[in-house]
Amino acid sequence: MYAARFNSLFEQGREAILAGAVQCQVPPVDGGSRWVMSVVLRPDAATARRIEDVTRNAMAVAGAGHWPTGKADSSHFTLRALENHRVSVPDGDARVARYIAALRKATSTVGPVRLTLSGLTLTPGCVMLCAEPGDDAVERLYDAYGDALAEDGWLEAGFDRNIWYSTLLHFTSPLANPQAVVQWVGDRRHLALGEVECRHAELVVYRFNGSRMVMETLDAVPLSHRP
């Protein structure tokens, strides 16, 4: 199931990139629909370093200037996007308080999330690390959080988040050697990076630091329940 979806993404990405139709990222703006406030799951430190190594290799093939989102301090798996980009989030923000209250409710019945990192894939705008759930924890957490959010879950109310992934590299300009990027990713479609166990869910916002997007954590909730 997951393999077929990632294969389809690769074919779409390959076709677009070879045609020169790369989707280029730009820094987000207030109220924009990209780089939105989200709840994410971060890999453990050892896995994050492995992901960063692969990201560094991807950058070497794609060329300078793209965003290495897979660096150890920013690699993540998005659980749910919540609202459009906000340049400033004040202390005591009412929406943030509701998002965290809902997250605490959702995590009370779900333990750590385990994902198997099974290879790379490609889209018109990025290189992705594919993840496959080791059990049903991530789907249960996603559903429980949606239920707990109620009307605050409007942004993804009609969206089916049916794959799990961590983006390694976001393209910011046309690729100097599109064929090399497609070949490099294609050769690593089944690159096994092991299993990751995510023990916290974090509410984050994204900030552009001049060379890439970084995450600012507003709050974190442990995934400690074990059925």
Side-chain angles (χ1 to χ4, degrees), residues 27 43 73 88 102-103 108 118 122-123 140 144 159 164 167 173 183-184 191 207 210 212-213 219:
D73 63 353
S88 178
L103 188 57
S108 67
S118 57
L122 194 61
T123 79
R140 288 193 294 114
F159 178 65
W164 305 98
T167 303
S173 61
Q183 184 68 47
W184 187 87
L191 178 68
R207 302 289 181 241
R212 63 186 176 100
M213 298 301 297
D219 207 343

Side-chain angles (χ1 to χ4, degrees), residues 47-117:
T47 303
R49 288 192 294 271
R50 292 199 299 273
I51 293 172
E52 184 175 90
D53 288 343
V54 179
T55 299
R56 187 180 302 110
N57 293 335
M59 284 287 290
V61 177
H66 303 290
W67 292 347
T69 314
K71 287 183 71 70
D73 63 353
S74 58
S75 62
H76 64 278
F77 307 90
T78 299
L79 181 72
R80 190 171 183 118
L82 295 168
E83 61 172 62
N84 290 345
H85 183 79
R86 268 202 274 176
V87 169
S88 178
V89 180
D91 292 340
D93 183 84
R95 278 180 286 174
V96 167
R98 294 199 304 270
Y99 298 151
I100 289 297
L103 188 57
R104 293 189 188 284
K105 181 178 180 180
T107 57
S108 67
T109 59
V110 180
V113 167
R114 298 173 182 84
L115 300 168
T116 298
L117 308 181

Side-chain angles (χ1 to χ4, degrees), residues 7-227:
N7 287 340
S8 178
L9 277 179
F10 179 79
E11 291 304 318
Q12 294 169 24
R14 181 183 65 81
E15 182 178 346
I17 286 173
L18 293 180
V22 172
Q23 294 177 1
C24 298
Q25 293 287 320
V26 296
V29 297
D30 199 36
S33 61
R34 292 286 296 159
W35 303 101
V36 303
M37 187 182 294
S38 304
V39 168
V40 305
L41 307 172
R42 290 192 198 243
D44 60 85
T47 303
R49 288 192 294 271
R50 292 199 299 273
I51 293 172
E52 184 175 90
D53 288 343
V54 179
T55 299
R56 187 180 302 110
N57 293 335
M59 284 287 290
V61 177
H66 303 290
W67 292 347
T69 314
K71 287 183 71 70
D73 63 353
S74 58
S75 62
H76 64 278
F77 307 90
T78 299
L79 181 72
R80 190 171 183 118
L82 295 168
E83 61 172 62
N84 290 345
H85 183 79
R86 268 202 274 176
V87 169
S88 178
V89 180
D91 292 340
D93 183 84
R95 278 180 286 174
V96 167
R98 294 199 304 270
Y99 298 151
I100 289 297
L103 188 57
R104 293 189 188 284
K105 181 178 180 180
T107 57
S108 67
T109 59
V110 180
V113 167
R114 298 173 182 84
L115 300 168
T116 298
L117 308 181
S118 57
L120 307 188
T121 195
L122 194 61
T123 79
C126 67
V127 177
M128 286 180 176
L129 172 62
C130 310
E132 300 185 15
D135 53 31
D136 66 349
V138 69
E139 285 92 354
R140 288 193 294 114
L141 180 58
Y142 180 75
D143 290 342
Y145 192 40
D147 291 342
L149 283 168
E151 292 182 359
D152 280 330
W154 62 271
L155 188 64
E156 287 199 357
F159 178 65
D160 180 18
R161 188 173 288 278
N162 57 16
I163 58 171
W164 305 98
Y165 60 88
S166 181
T167 303
L168 303 183
L169 185 68
H170 281 94
F171 304 131
T172 59
S173 61
L175 297 169
N177 191 338
Q179 181 63 54
V181 173
V182 169
Q183 184 68 47
W184 187 87
V185 175
D187 289 345
R188 290 158 179 80
R189 286 289 294 113
H190 303 291
L191 178 68
L193 291 181
E195 183 178 86
V196 58
E197 183 174 86
C198 305
R199 292 185 167 271
H200 294 83
E202 299 183 22
L203 178 65
V204 303
V205 290
Y206 295 91
R207 302 289 181 241
F208 183 60
N209 71 358
S211 60
R212 63 186 176 100
M213 298 301 297
V214 296
M215 293 190 297
E216 175 186 333
T217 299
L218 301 179
D219 207 343
V221 177
L223 300 172
S224 56
H225 174 82
R226 292 186 179 276

